[in-house]
Amino acid sequence: MKTDSGLILVSNAEPYAYNWNEDDEIEQEKLAGGLTSAMDPLLQEAGGTWVAWGREEADFEVLDSENKVRVPDENGYDLRRLNLSEEEVEEFYLGFSNEVLWPLSHSFLERSNLEDYRECERKWNFYEEVNRKYADAVLEEYSGDEGIWIHDYHLTLVPRMVREEYPDADIAFFWHIPWPSWSIFGALPWRKEVLKGMLSSNFLGFHTPSYKKEFVSCAEKAGLRGKESNLEEPGVGTTISSVPLGIDYDWFTSLAEKDEFKREAQDLRDDLAAERIILGVDRLDYTKGIPQRLRAFELFLEENPEFQGEVSLIQRIPPSRTSADEYQSTLEKIERIVGEINGKFGKHGWTPVKSFHRFLPKQEQLIPYYLAADVQLVTSLCDGMNLVSKEYVATTDEGVLILSEFAGAAEELEEAIQINPYNVKETAQSIKRALTMPSEEKRERLNKLKKKVRENDLMNWRDRFMEGWLDK
Ligand code: GDG
């Protein structure tokens, strides 16, 4: 990788959005999401250009004649925005990416709408078209020297499209979500196109060895065998690697020391009138297993009445951009269960479950929640990595992490209490175990977890990714 010449980073999600405020002024907002929160500090340090879709009201008001704006300020990097039509958003983004590839990758084959071939094909055609738009924007930015780093499932065809124009381009691709087995992925009518697209990269990264293994097996089953696959490609071989994403550990620990956040954490506790707090933080998505988590908490309260009035569950659910129907039905389901639990157990000013749906404009606003929580409960049914579990480990002083074995983070964070989120009874028992865990055991587990999260932090991940890419 030619690091000296900077990076062209490509993702569907943009790191910053612009909106009008009440005074009719344009305001910059940093956006949520695992990908953007991980990559933004890296690009601020390395410099370069980030190509992404501009989706907010004032996004195009702030651009120069080359469709770029510097973010977060003059000392930052260039953000080049792509405009997608309503139809492209519907078919490429909500359609093929989020209604076909997302569920398929999370092994929810039945949710992937593949039974209607014609409809899927229409979405696929848009997917190809929009990938072409991204590739064209990259080609306009490319001077022949930069490393091109493409992210995630929306853009699998871009590496091949760039490679066709520049056979020697240095291209890396990182896949942020799980990679499923062939019995699931093989169902995709365009499986070969997706695989060939990704295999046109020089370096291809996944979060865990298991996803990498499944990917290689899919490539083999599709007749594209690892390095040899590129013999029919214009590029050279592809190195496939597992490089688990980390967080900016020091940033979280330094914020955890701030008095203002400690005070806010105390306010949260006081507001809930609860002695102990369990926390969940997840985008509104069916893969996060929020209903299972709520049912587990309900069962825990039922089976352990001594904890009623003592323990509350705070569930933060920042919105995600899925189709309106999907969003609504997931939200309704969650709200119904929250209502049931609060109706059944709530008393004397104590609220068993408090759910917040507002997206917090600054990520650091999550710190008081992490500090207030005695237990963090992660019940993803399937999750590429799950950064919030690592953020909690970095921030908390004496908390316990309960972690789904189906989150990529579980392969690293072995000292968490690991659960099968579908086994609600087991999760309920784990909540009790976490709340009654002796201090010494808590400390021991947390120290080991902190060590891992610190050692494999964001900078280390970046270096390991770059090393793998450079070694090509
Ligand atoms: C995908 C994969 C993979 C949360 N609420 C707010 C907020 N957040 C931040 C958290 C965290 C990020 O969003 C969420 O990251 P996760 O990794 O937990 O989950 P996904 O969004 O599903 O991310 C996932 C990830 O990509 C990276 O590869 O780990 O498996 O699904 O950083 O702190 N940030 C702000 N306000 C909020 O209200 N500002």
Side-chain angles (χ1 to χ4, degrees):
M1 217 280 289
K2 300 149 188 157
T3 35
D4 296 346
S5 313
L7 278 176
I8 299 179
L9 198 138
V10 196
S11 73
N12 187 60
E14 60 176 347
Y16 294 90
Y18 290 81
N19 281 299
W20 298 102
N21 67 16
E22 286 158 2
D23 303 326
D24 266 356
E25 290 157 348
I26 293 179
E27 252 178 24
Q28 185 195 65
E29 181 191 332
K30 191 169 177 207
L31 293 176
L35 187 156
T36 49
S37 45
M39 300 311 297
D40 176 58
L42 296 190
L43 213 65
Q44 286 198 41
E45 201 186 298
T49 307
W50 187 324
V51 179
W53 167 35
R55 63 171 86 171
E56 295 300 329
E57 266 179 22
D59 272 355
F60 289 87
E61 308 284 336
V62 293
L63 301 183
D64 63 16
S65 57
E66 293 178 323
N67 291 323
K68 292 186 211 166
V69 58
R70 273 191 98 69
V71 290
D73 52 38
E74 272 314 302
N75 303 320
Y77 56 88
D78 283 331
L79 171 61
R80 171 166 175 159
R81 291 207 167 94
L82 242 81
N83 204 352
L84 301 186
S85 68
E86 246 174 63
E87 203 179 16
E88 285 170 337
V89 174
E90 189 62 38
E91 306 288 352
F92 151 77
Y93 177 63
L94 298 174
F96 199 79
S97 302
N98 287 349
E99 285 168 22
V100 180
L101 280 180
W102 173 270
L104 201 72
S105 304
H106 288 82
S107 297
F108 285 93
L109 181 57
E110 74 290 356
R111 293 187 89 129
S112 66
N113 294 340
L114 284 178
E115 68 282 359
D116 191 340
Y117 178 80
R118 297 297 289 275
E119 198 186 316
C120 266
E121 190 186 36
R122 195 188 63 239
K123 291 175 180 160
W124 165 256
N125 290 336
F126 273 94
Y127 184 81
E128 257 188 318
E129 248 174 57
V130 173
N131 269 251
R132 173 70 61 196
K133 266 192 166 182
Y134 273 94
D136 288 346
V138 173
L139 292 170
E140 274 179 38
E141 294 300 323
Y142 188 51
S143 71
D145 273 337
E146 298 89 345
I148 302 171
W149 190 351
I150 301 158
H151 288 264
D152 231 358
Y153 62 102
H154 314 87
L155 303 175
T156 58
L157 310 181
V158 177
R160 188 174 169 86
M161 291 169 172
V162 173
R163 171 84 58 221
E164 278 163 1
E165 294 299 316
Y166 285 94
D168 296 327
D170 245 321
I171 306 174
F173 191 99
F174 191 77
W175 184 262
H176 286 259
I177 61 178
W179 189 275
S181 68
W182 175 251
S183 61
I184 304 279
F185 181 76
L188 184 69
W190 304 278
R191 60 198 189 184
K192 231 172 169 160
E193 286 83 346
V194 167
L195 290 168
K196 274 187 176 177
M198 292 170 72
L199 284 165
S200 297
S201 319
N202 303 80
F203 187 72
L204 183 48
F206 293 89
H207 281 304
T208 71
S210 323
Y211 304 153
K212 174 193 156 182
K213 193 164 147 256
E214 294 294 1
F215 177 84
V216 171
S217 149
C218 285
E220 282 176 358
K221 291 265 181 18
L224 305 162
R225 298 189 58 245
K227 284 187 182 245
E228 286 167 40
S229 65
N230 268 331
L231 293 178
E232 51 171 298
E233 307 286 344
V236 283
T238 305
T239 299
I240 305 170
S241 198
S242 71
V243 199
L245 181 58
I247 57 156
D248 189 345
Y249 185 87
D250 291 342
W251 188 76
F252 281 96
T253 51
S254 65
L255 291 177
E257 295 299 317
K258 286 198 166 180
D259 287 342
E260 69 177 279
F261 290 136
K262 289 183 183 166
R263 265 197 310 276
E264 280 176 42
Q266 191 52 50
D267 291 347
L268 273 172
R269 284 174 182 277
D270 296 345
D271 283 354
L272 281 169
E275 295 294 310
R276 322 285 293 276
I277 286 176
I278 299 171
L279 175 70
V281 179
D282 315 78
R283 277 184 309 99
L284 184 64
D285 194 288
Y286 55 86
T287 61
K288 301 290 184 183
I290 301 172
Q292 284 80 356
R293 180 176 323 170
L294 292 167
R295 289 300 183 203
F297 183 63
E298 179 182 34
L299 187 60
F300 158 77
L301 289 177
E302 231 163 67
E303 292 194 337
N304 302 282
E306 70 277 18
F307 282 100
Q308 292 175 21
E310 293 274 314
V311 185
S312 288
L313 171 66
I314 297 186
Q315 180 62 55
R316 290 216 63 92
I317 321 178
S320 353
R321 274 277 193 120
T322 47
S323 75
D325 288 351
E326 174 80 58
Y327 187 88
Q328 213 39 48
S329 75
T330 313
L331 189 61
E332 274 168 19
K333 188 170 179 185
I334 291 170
E335 286 189 332
R336 197 184 61 242
I337 305 175
V338 170
E340 271 175 41
I341 299 175
N342 286 344
K344 196 146 105 188
F345 300 104
K347 58 182 175 192
H348 316 306
W350 167 68
T351 314
V353 184
K354 188 107 187 175
S355 70
F356 297 91
H357 301 269
R358 196 170 74 86
F359 171 70
L360 300 168
K362 292 191 177 149
Q363 197 184 19
E364 63 191 50
Q365 291 172 281
L366 280 175
I367 301 289
Y369 290 88
Y370 290 145
L371 285 176
D374 298 276
V375 178
Q376 160 110 322
L377 186 49
V378 180
T379 53
S380 310
L381 307 178
C382 190
D383 208 338
M385 171 53 71
N386 190 277
L387 294 179
V388 295
S389 55
K390 293 189 169 184
E391 293 167 6
Y392 177 67
V393 165
T395 311
T396 184
D397 249 354
E398 48 186 0
V400 181
L401 174 65
I402 302 179
L403 177 61
S404 161
E405 58 192 69
F406 304 130
E411 289 192 30
E412 279 173 277
L413 306 183
E414 294 154 304
E415 292 78 11
I417 301 182
Q418 298 210 356
I419 45 124
N420 164 9
Y422 291 96
N423 188 342
V424 165
K425 191 166 185 180
E426 180 193 43
T427 311
Q429 286 164 350
S430 299
I431 294 175
K432 180 164 185 197
R433 187 170 160 215
L435 289 170
T436 53
M437 188 180 278
S439 306
E440 200 172 321
E441 184 184 348
K442 272 204 252 182
R443 222 179 5 256
E444 234 171 69
R445 284 174 181 261
L446 189 60
N447 285 343
K448 287 185 182 154
L449 289 170
K450 278 184 183 283
K451 186 166 183 281
K452 286 184 180 171
V453 176
R454 187 177 60 238
E455 285 177 356
N456 188 24
D457 71 352
L458 185 61
M459 307 315 154
N460 182 285
W461 174 79
R462 188 261 319 267
D463 292 348
R464 286 197 297 138
F465 191 95
M466 292 291 189
E467 266 166 37
W469 190 4
L470 266 171
D471 278 354
K472 274 291 313 113

